[in-house]
Amino acid sequence: MAKTKPTKTRRPRAETPRGFRDYFGAEVTERARMLERITEVYARYGFDPLESSAVETVEALGKFLPDVDRPNEGVFAWQDEDEGWLALRYDLTAPLARVYAQHRNELPTPYRRYAVGPVWRNEKPGPGRFRQFYQCDADTVGAASMAADAEICAMLAEALEAAGIARGDYVIRINDRKVLNGVMERAGVLDPADPERDAARRGIVLRAIDKLDRLGREGVRALLGAGRKDESGDFTPGAGLDDAAAEIVMGFLDARREDGAATCARLRELVAGSAVGEEGVAELEQIAELLAAQGLGPDRVVIDPSVVRGLGYYTGPVYEAELTFEILDEKGRKRQFGSVAGGGRYDDLVKRFTGQSVPACGVSVGVDRLLAALRAVGRAGDEAPGPVVVTVMDRARLADYQRMTAELRAAGIRAEMFLGGGAMGKQLKYADRRAAPVAVIEGEDERARGVVQLKDLALGARLAAQIETNEEWKAQPAQIEVPRAELVAEVRRMLARAERG
Amino acid sequence: MAKTKPTKTRRPRAETPRGFRDYFGAEVTERARMLERITEVYARYGFDPLESSAVETVEALGKFLPDVDRPNEGVFAWQDEDEGWLALRYDLTAPLARVYAQHRNELPTPYRRYAVGPVWRNEKPGPGRFRQFYQCDADTVGAASMAADAEICAMLAEALEAAGIARGDYVIRINDRKVLNGVMERAGVLDPADPERDAARRGIVLRAIDKLDRLGREGVRALLGAGRKDESGDFTPGAGLDDAAAEIVMGFLDARREDGAATCARLRELVAGSAVGEEGVAELEQIAELLAAQGLGPDRVVIDPSVVRGLGYYTGPVYEAELTFEILDEKGRKRQFGSVAGGGRYDDLVKRFTGQSVPACGVSVGVDRLLAALRAVGRAGDEAPGPVVVTVMDRARLADYQRMTAELRAAGIRAEMFLGGGAMGKQLKYADRRAAPVAVIEGEDERARGVVQLKDLALGARLAAQIETNEEWKAQPAQIEVPRAELVAEVRRMLARAERG
């Protein structure tokens, strides 16, 4: 028998767990700047920041995931010696409910708060789907008035514009769960006197309309009726509505008219006789009136019954912000950018803690999607400029180079001294990698003559792209010599030119 | 036998797990502003932001806790289906090592990065000791030069001033682990030819001097010799140094002289003949020279061998920032505020991933402590102003009140419409709780006359504190009536007055 090999100490793999990632440089600053612009609007609307603990008891967290597409997704949880099961928050809404229940005696009512931070989902990672990502939420707790919903929608519009989305490039669409309930009554699957009856069929209806984007009208229509066979041959049983009932539901999805008033009139027809349905239409009318009072017209906010995302989760109005400009998808086809934020009214979140129902509504911005949109339209902000790099020709004179660097920094100029080892070629390569606009060079000769060389790397890069002949190249002032005393002033001039260039 | 009681559905407790907390309003914005000022300095020094994943594999995280006081503290960890054991990061240094090892081919070398974010420690919570807290780090990876250490110290000084600590209210003290190693050689507990020998005794010496703050000189001296009996009668065995050897170590702790040159000269005497010790002294001299070149004198940075925190963890220079002004402790006694940041050189962190030693150095700011210090000296920033509150006298005219609110917001004024239910008294109470500077009131009568009432709550609060008689009170313009069209202009005037007040 062969001897067992001696155990080799295994090195740990230098990798994030799958589904997690790191963010570098501009990825961090662009997101921070976007969130700053958004939260500046939230603050102006009277919303206060809240940063709740990232860790909650599993008990407090409960199960309130709004995303009906992924009902099985879980949380990252572990058992604590003293505290029982703990978990990372999976959104910012469940913690808000806990915070409000815990601190309700000290908080103002209504309580307007915004929150920004990472959340964690224990689900299978996929391309572009991460297990840690940012959310940016604003919610009003303790206000039953539709004015709270209208305010959230107006604020969302202003926040999108502050972030860099031009007016006309987005639209906020509003629907109402109560109108759908009215439609369900009219379709015969919701009896106000016995709301438990037909719950299963209503579930099928809800799931069916929630798939409108994916399956189209025909697919939804099939699921409302007998059922639907998909491409693979699998059969999904339908809600079993008769044609008349199914047409009422389909009529709801198609109810959008040329303006809000006409849409509401059409919805009133569809829910006629249903108390909850008429209440829902009245809510939409009130929101439309309040938005108009704030100067938000249909170019920014529309009543649109085809908004179905979240209808299963929210209890009243539902809102969704869509970007309407086109981008190219991975196959090079044009398509609308789509949804970047969504929200609505959810009146029962705090109840599980206190036993009392507390009205609440809010919106969540998809931080990564909005940032991707801003990048797509070139509005994510300028790339952070690289630092001026002070090179080190003579290691014995580090203090002199350090002094130059300090002078530049004191003048507010981003600057570094090269801290590694290596010859000038390596140092200039480093400067390139840092996207340095200028490199400062001072050798023995320059030192003796009281001058420094300034290499305009930004200009050099532009010239390299333009210039065809060697003669042209030499004629360009990509490197100049200036008196040592004029270092700061001259670098400043070069940076100003680089910015204009 | 009694029947078992019917099971009652238990409501979840609305509480953070012990050791975790929420941050509200100014707690969030003050910290964000402080970190923004600090990272602005870091960026000017050429450092790039990095936001690494909060979750790491336990394998990648390893065990690198710098805090020798709490060797048993752990991490929050759980077993993932596919990824094995995962954990929340316990600091920002271990993730940096992983990130650098993972991305070293794409990152510039040297790599300067800063990072800001929460870290988690699975330790027993105590008063003021939380299991989630912020860190703010800056590190340079891949630079062996002392210029990297000097730069970190200069940057730290500038960052503290940018945050709001006045020059003269802080000092950055620098020591060097290699000097201590030289002292160990001279004291006979470190043989360069056989470094494994006496490792246990050196451990005792290290732990002893690390307790200087707590035990004082006498306690440390006892632990260097035979050992020490504490107040409870427990005996801790000492390192067994003879008197001459112990005096060399004590001499190290007492080596600070009137200036850096004199201190270095004294250290040179203490380590004479030890190569590593002399190397350490040379490092301190070089750092002092580079700091002087950047204009940092002994009013901001000093060489001080009594800095012992982290000497067991770091491999070269060690730095610590202390605030020198006095505050009152919980017992009303004056004491120096103390340490708010610390760091040093650690050259072996990346090696466990790659097998190659990579030089690195950095600093970590104690975010909560520095923020507490800024609050103590009144420099944490102004309290965020409360919003102007537009009250609702007539619920049928919500849209009008909403329009006023929108006008104020459009003028850049933080404003809210009252969204709750209740009479004027309750609404003004709400405005008080919101620290509203102004309340806007428009009833039927005002509406008919085209005016609004503006209640100057900021002025009202000041007057309430000053005014003694009712007559004086009535003479004060704490509530004025203005034409509706002048709402925005008049509110703006009142806010300007409140700011001056």
Side-chain angles (χ1 to χ4, degrees):
Chain A
M1 248 176 88
K3 274 193 191 169
T4 53
K5 284 186 197 164
T7 352
K8 206 172 134 190
T9 355
R10 214 181 121 271
R11 287 194 197 127
R13 275 174 312 154
E15 278 173 24
T16 47
R18 276 196 321 141
F20 293 91
R21 56 160 296 192
D22 306 310
Y23 296 83
F24 295 89
E27 293 173 332
V28 177
T29 48
E30 285 173 3
R31 182 176 56 202
R33 210 170 310 148
M34 179 185 90
L35 291 171
E36 202 179 357
R37 288 175 184 152
I38 291 173
T39 54
E40 190 277 325
V41 173
Y42 290 177
R44 186 145 41 82
Y45 273 69
F47 286 66
D48 275 345
L50 166 67
E51 184 171 324
S52 67
S53 165
V55 176
E56 299 272 352
T57 64
V58 165
E59 177 193 22
L61 223 40
K63 258 297 187 185
F64 276 92
L65 280 175
D67 198 330
V68 291
D69 266 0
R70 296 173 292 177
N72 293 321
E73 72 193 353
V75 296
F76 291 107
W78 63 91
Q79 204 160 8
D80 185 72
E81 261 176 60
D82 306 312
E83 302 290 301
W85 281 90
L86 303 182
L88 290 172
R89 65 184 178 204
Y90 57 79
D91 72 3
L92 300 174
T93 308
L96 171 62
R98 192 267 306 153
V99 167
Y100 186 79
Q102 181 172 353
H103 299 280
R104 62 190 184 281
N105 293 328
E106 305 97 62
L107 290 171
T109 296
Y111 176 49
R112 290 174 172 94
R113 86 87 180 80
Y114 68 82
V116 170
V119 301
W120 293 266
R121 302 264 171 104
N122 189 3
E123 50 185 23
K124 293 271 175 241
R129 179 186 280 193
F130 292 98
R131 308 213 283 178
Q132 171 181 335
F133 53 93
Y134 266 70
Q135 289 194 336
C136 171
D137 284 21
D139 294 82
T140 301
V141 183
S145 167
M146 285 303 113
D149 301 80
E151 175 175 82
I152 294 265
C153 291
M155 183 168 75
L156 178 58
E158 197 168 335
L160 290 175
E161 294 184 19
I165 303 294
R167 198 170 296 183
D169 273 352
Y170 71 91
V171 65
I172 295 167
R173 307 192 296 146
I174 305 176
N175 196 1
D176 197 293
R177 170 63 197 259
K178 288 178 182 167
V179 178
L180 175 61
N181 280 359
V183 166
M184 298 261 211
E185 280 186 31
R186 291 293 313 279
V189 286
L190 174 58
D191 179 355
D194 182 7
E196 292 306 310
R197 220 185 65 197
D198 291 321
R201 288 174 78 199
R202 285 200 304 280
I204 297 176
V205 173
L206 258 176
R207 284 192 295 280
I209 65 173
D210 205 60
K211 290 177 185 154
L212 179 63
D213 286 349
R214 198 140 43 86
L215 304 183
R217 296 187 75 263
E218 217 165 304
V220 174
R221 178 65 183 79
L223 285 171
L224 294 176
R228 177 177 174 272
K229 194 181 276 190
D230 68 18
E231 298 79 44
S232 73
D234 283 347
F235 182 75
T236 310
L241 301 189
D242 63 29
D243 283 354
E247 283 313 316
I248 291 176
V249 176
M250 295 309 294
F252 169 68
L253 299 179
D254 296 335
R256 183 166 168 192
R257 295 293 179 268
E258 66 281 7
D259 61 30
T263 304
C264 287
R266 170 64 182 141
L267 289 174
R268 240 178 227 295
E269 288 171 22
L270 284 169
V271 301
S274 156
V276 67
E278 287 173 0
E279 196 184 318
V281 177
E283 287 182 355
L284 289 174
E285 285 169 340
Q286 202 181 351
I287 290 174
E289 184 200 6
L290 288 164
L291 287 170
Q294 292 174 74
L296 280 94
D299 56 329
R300 291 193 273 170
V301 193
V302 298
I303 306 296
D304 185 347
S306 73
V307 176
V308 288
R309 274 219 328 190
L311 276 183
Y313 171 75
Y314 295 109
T315 56
V318 178
Y319 357 107
E320 182 158 35
E322 280 197 5
L323 302 189
T324 50
F325 56 81
E326 290 182 330
I327 55 159
L328 298 180
D329 69 9
E330 58 282 4
K331 289 181 181 157
R333 292 172 305 206
K334 281 189 180 180
R335 61 167 187 82
Q336 283 212 344
F337 192 90
S339 175
V340 292
R345 179 164 282 277
Y346 51 95
D347 282 347
D348 279 339
L349 208 52
V350 179
K351 192 176 184 179
R352 48 190 292 273
F353 292 107
T354 64
Q356 290 175 311
S357 199
V358 176
C361 62
V363 71
S364 183
V365 172
V367 173
D368 291 323
R369 275 191 65 74
L370 181 56
L371 193 51
L374 291 173
R375 288 190 181 123
V377 294
R379 297 294 299 273
D382 298 324
E383 188 92 1
V388 172
V389 170
V390 177
T391 60
V392 175
M393 284 276 267
D394 180 355
R395 300 203 65 76
R397 290 197 7 262
L398 270 188
D400 292 330
Y401 299 117
Q402 186 67 74
R403 192 173 293 120
M404 291 184 205
T405 314
E407 285 175 23
L408 291 165
R409 286 169 174 166
I413 295 167
R414 190 172 195 218
E416 308 177 346
M417 179 174 78
F418 182 69
L419 285 179
M424 190 49 58
K426 191 178 162 196
Q427 300 195 30
L428 290 176
K429 219 170 198 167
Y430 169 85
D432 265 348
R433 181 163 242 180
R434 298 286 289 133
V438 177
V440 180
I441 304 170
E442 187 208 54
E444 206 177 328
D445 170 59
E446 285 85 8
R447 170 83 175 157
R449 293 189 291 117
V451 299
V452 291
Q453 303 283 341
L454 300 181
K455 216 173 156 64
D456 190 332
L457 300 170
L459 180 63
R462 285 203 305 283
L463 294 179
Q466 293 163 10
I467 292 178
E468 310 242 319
T469 72
N470 229 359
E471 287 67 40
E472 282 182 285
W473 181 263
K474 283 179 186 157
Q476 290 296 334
Q479 179 163 334
I480 59 170
E481 185 177 294
V482 300
R484 167 69 181 81
E486 285 166 31
L487 167 68
V488 170
E490 189 59 34
V491 167
R492 193 176 269 144
R493 212 179 56 73
M494 289 167 99
L495 293 178
R497 189 171 62 191
E499 218 157 90
R500 284 196 313 276
Chain B
M1 247 174 88
K3 274 191 190 173
T4 52
K5 284 185 196 162
T7 351
K8 203 172 136 191
T9 353
R10 212 180 123 273
R11 284 191 199 131
R13 275 174 311 155
E15 277 171 27
T16 47
R18 277 195 321 139
F20 293 91
R21 55 162 297 192
D22 307 311
Y23 297 83
F24 295 89
E27 293 173 333
V28 177
T29 49
E30 284 174 3
R31 181 176 59 201
R33 211 170 310 148
M34 179 185 90
L35 291 170
E36 202 180 357
R37 288 175 184 152
I38 291 172
T39 54
E40 189 276 325
V41 173
Y42 290 177
R44 187 145 40 82
Y45 273 68
F47 286 66
D48 275 346
L50 166 67
E51 184 172 325
S52 68
S53 165
V55 178
E56 298 272 352
T57 64
V58 164
E59 176 192 22
L61 223 40
K63 258 296 186 187
F64 275 91
L65 281 175
D67 199 331
V68 290
D69 265 1
R70 295 173 292 177
N72 293 322
E73 72 193 352
V75 296
F76 292 106
W78 62 90
Q79 202 160 9
D80 186 72
E81 260 176 61
D82 305 313
E83 301 291 300
W85 281 91
L86 303 182
L88 290 172
R89 64 184 179 204
Y90 57 79
D91 72 3
L92 300 174
T93 310
L96 170 62
R98 192 270 304 156
V99 167
Y100 186 79
Q102 181 172 352
H103 299 280
R104 62 191 184 281
N105 292 329
E106 306 98 60
L107 291 171
T109 296
Y111 176 48
R112 289 172 172 95
R113 86 90 179 78
Y114 69 82
V116 170
V119 301
W120 292 266
R121 302 263 171 103
N122 189 3
E123 51 184 23
K124 293 272 175 239
R129 179 186 279 191
F130 293 98
R131 309 214 281 178
Q132 172 180 333
F133 54 92
Y134 265 71
Q135 289 194 334
C136 171
D137 285 20
D139 295 82
T140 301
V141 182
S145 167
M146 286 303 112
D149 301 78
E151 174 175 83
I152 294 266
C153 292
M155 183 168 77
L156 178 57
E158 197 168 334
L160 290 175
E161 294 184 19
I165 303 295
R167 198 170 295 182
D169 274 353
Y170 70 90
V171 64
I172 296 168
R173 307 192 297 147
I174 305 177
N175 196 1
D176 197 294
R177 170 64 196 258
K178 289 178 181 167
V179 178
L180 175 61
N181 281 358
V183 166
M184 298 261 212
E185 281 187 30
R186 292 292 314 280
V189 287
L190 175 58
D191 179 356
D194 182 6
E196 291 306 310
R197 222 186 63 199
D198 292 318
R201 288 175 78 199
R202 286 201 305 278
I204 298 177
V205 172
L206 258 176
R207 284 192 295 279
I209 65 173
D210 205 61
K211 289 175 185 156
L212 179 62
D213 287 349
R214 196 137 45 87
L215 304 183
R217 296 189 76 262
E218 217 165 303
V220 174
R221 179 63 183 80
L223 286 171
L224 294 176
R228 177 178 175 271
K229 193 182 275 187
D230 68 18
E231 297 79 45
S232 73
D234 282 347
F235 182 76
T236 311
L241 301 190
D242 63 27
D243 283 355
E247 283 313 316
I248 291 175
V249 177
M250 295 309 294
F252 167 68
L253 299 178
D254 296 335
R256 183 166 168 191
R257 295 294 179 267
E258 66 282 5
D259 62 29
T263 303
C264 287
R266 170 65 182 141
L267 290 173
R268 239 176 228 296
E269 286 172 23
L270 284 168
V271 302
S274 158
V276 68
E278 288 174 0
E279 197 184 315
V281 177
E283 288 182 353
L284 289 174
E285 286 169 339
Q286 203 182 350
I287 290 174
E289 183 200 5
L290 288 164
L291 286 170
Q294 293 173 75
L296 279 95
D299 57 328
R300 291 194 272 171
V301 192
V302 298
I303 306 297
D304 185 347
S306 73
V307 176
V308 289
R309 274 218 330 190
L311 276 184
Y313 172 75
Y314 295 110
T315 56
V318 179
Y319 359 107
E320 183 159 34
E322 279 197 5
L323 302 190
T324 51
F325 56 80
E326 289 182 329
I327 54 159
L328 298 180
D329 69 10
E330 57 282 6
K331 289 179 182 160
R333 292 171 306 207
K334 281 189 179 179
R335 60 166 187 81
Q336 283 211 345
F337 192 90
S339 174
V340 292
R345 179 164 283 275
Y346 50 94
D347 282 348
D348 279 340
L349 209 53
V350 180
K351 193 177 183 179
R352 46 190 294 271
F353 292 107
T354 63
Q356 291 174 311
S357 199
V358 177
C361 62
V363 72
S364 183
V365 171
V367 172
D368 291 323
R369 276 191 64 73
L370 181 56
L371 193 51
L374 290 172
R375 288 189 182 125
V377 294
R379 297 295 298 272
D382 298 324
E383 189 91 359
V388 172
V389 170
V390 177
T391 60
V392 175
M393 285 277 266
D394 180 356
R395 301 202 64 77
R397 291 197 6 261
L398 270 189
D400 293 330
Y401 300 116
Q402 186 66 74
R403 193 174 292 121
M404 290 184 206
T405 314
E407 284 174 24
L408 290 166
R409 287 169 175 165
I413 295 167
R414 192 172 193 219
E416 309 176 348
M417 179 174 79
F418 183 70
L419 286 178
M424 190 49 58
K426 190 178 164 197
Q427 301 195 30
L428 290 176
K429 220 170 199 166
Y430 170 85
D432 265 348
R433 180 161 243 180
R434 298 287 289 134
V438 177
V440 180
I441 305 170
E442 188 208 54
E444 206 177 329
D445 169 59
E446 283 85 9
R447 170 83 174 156
R449 294 189 291 118
V451 298
V452 290
Q453 302 284 342
L454 300 181
K455 215 173 158 62
D456 191 332
L457 300 170
L459 179 62
R462 283 203 305 284
L463 294 179
Q466 293 163 12
I467 291 179
E468 310 244 319
T469 71
N470 228 358
E471 286 67 40
E472 282 182 285
W473 180 264
K474 282 179 184 155
Q476 290 296 335
Q479 179 162 334
I480 58 171
E481 185 177 293
V482 300
R484 168 69 180 80
E486 285 165 32
L487 168 67
V488 170
E490 190 58 35
V491 167
R492 192 177 270 144
R493 211 179 56 74
M494 290 168 99
L495 293 178
R497 190 171 61 189
E499 218 157 272
R500 282 196 313 275

